[in-house]
Amino acid sequence: MVTKAQLKSDAAKPPYVAALEAAYGAPSQAGFGSAVFYEPISAGDDLAQAALAKYKYFTGELWERWGEDAWMGPWKEVYTRQTGANVDIVAELRGIADPDAANSVPMIVDNIEGADKARAALAAAYDDPAVTELRVFNLGDGEAMSGLLVAGRRQATGVATFLVFLLD
């Protein structure tokens, strides 16, 4: 199990996290754009609650300024990878049926600088057989801002990787 202290060092980040950060950005509280978070998560921790905590952290002071009701209005799980499903994060994202969430997918997989590298980073992070749980959430402020949060858990190593994407 990886500890938070070990993760503070860039050397402790696996290559798939470094590639994801290169494509989508390091952890931040920008509240706009995208960021990648990599942290320990206990086997008993709820991945949806951990994802929500990352969402709140990413929006930073905007969460308080605009209020929880604004940010939680669009929040919903729009995809859960089922056991035995075809593991292909790009195809899974493109297959999201929710219309609000589907609008954000091209911004993550196609309309990004270095799209081929970004898609490869997504695959390395989320298509690995070590990923035992994957969930995707719709997010936004209920008005102009919308996006997605991709959360993946690796049970054996006790870590989770979160990609938060939010634009207007």
Side-chain angles (χ1 to χ4, degrees):
M1 175 104 157
V2 177
T3 66
K4 285 189 180 194
Q6 290 170 317
L7 293 179
K8 289 188 180 191
S9 163
D10 279 345
K13 290 181 185 172
Y16 72 87
V17 173
L20 213 67
E21 285 183 355
Y24 298 101
S28 80
Q29 286 189 289
F32 187 80
S34 59
V36 174
F37 300 90
Y38 173 72
E39 71 176 40
I41 183 169
S42 298
D45 289 349
D46 181 9
L47 186 60
Q49 288 302 310
L52 180 57
K54 289 295 158 247
Y55 178 31
K56 287 180 181 180
Y57 180 84
F58 179 73
T59 57
E61 64 90 18
L62 294 175
W63 187 275
E64 296 303 320
R65 185 184 327 159
W66 294 345
E68 184 171 330
D69 288 344
W71 293 108
M72 289 303 291
W75 172 263
K76 64 183 166 186
E77 188 170 309
V78 294
Y79 180 77
T80 301
R81 182 181 285 162
Q82 300 301 313
T83 303
N86 184 28
V87 176
D88 180 346
I89 187 63
V90 173
E92 290 167 291
L93 289 170
R94 287 186 172 143
I96 289 175
D98 181 87
D100 292 331
N103 285 335
S104 296
V105 172
M107 300 300 294
I108 294 174
V109 299
D110 297 315
N111 303 337
I112 182 171
E113 188 175 324
D116 288 339
K117 285 185 179 180
R119 287 189 295 270
L122 284 167
Y126 297 110
D127 290 352
D128 190 295
V131 175
T132 56
E133 183 178 7
L134 181 112
R135 296 171 181 248
V136 180
F137 301 88
N138 187 66
L139 43 103
D141 67 356
E143 293 189 22
M145 297 184 66
S146 60
L148 294 175
L149 191 153
V150 181
R153 177 197 311 255
R154 292 170 184 246
Q155 199 71 42
T157 57
V159 296
T161 307
F162 303 92
L163 167 60
V164 183
F165 169 82
L166 187 62
L167 287 179
D168 61 2

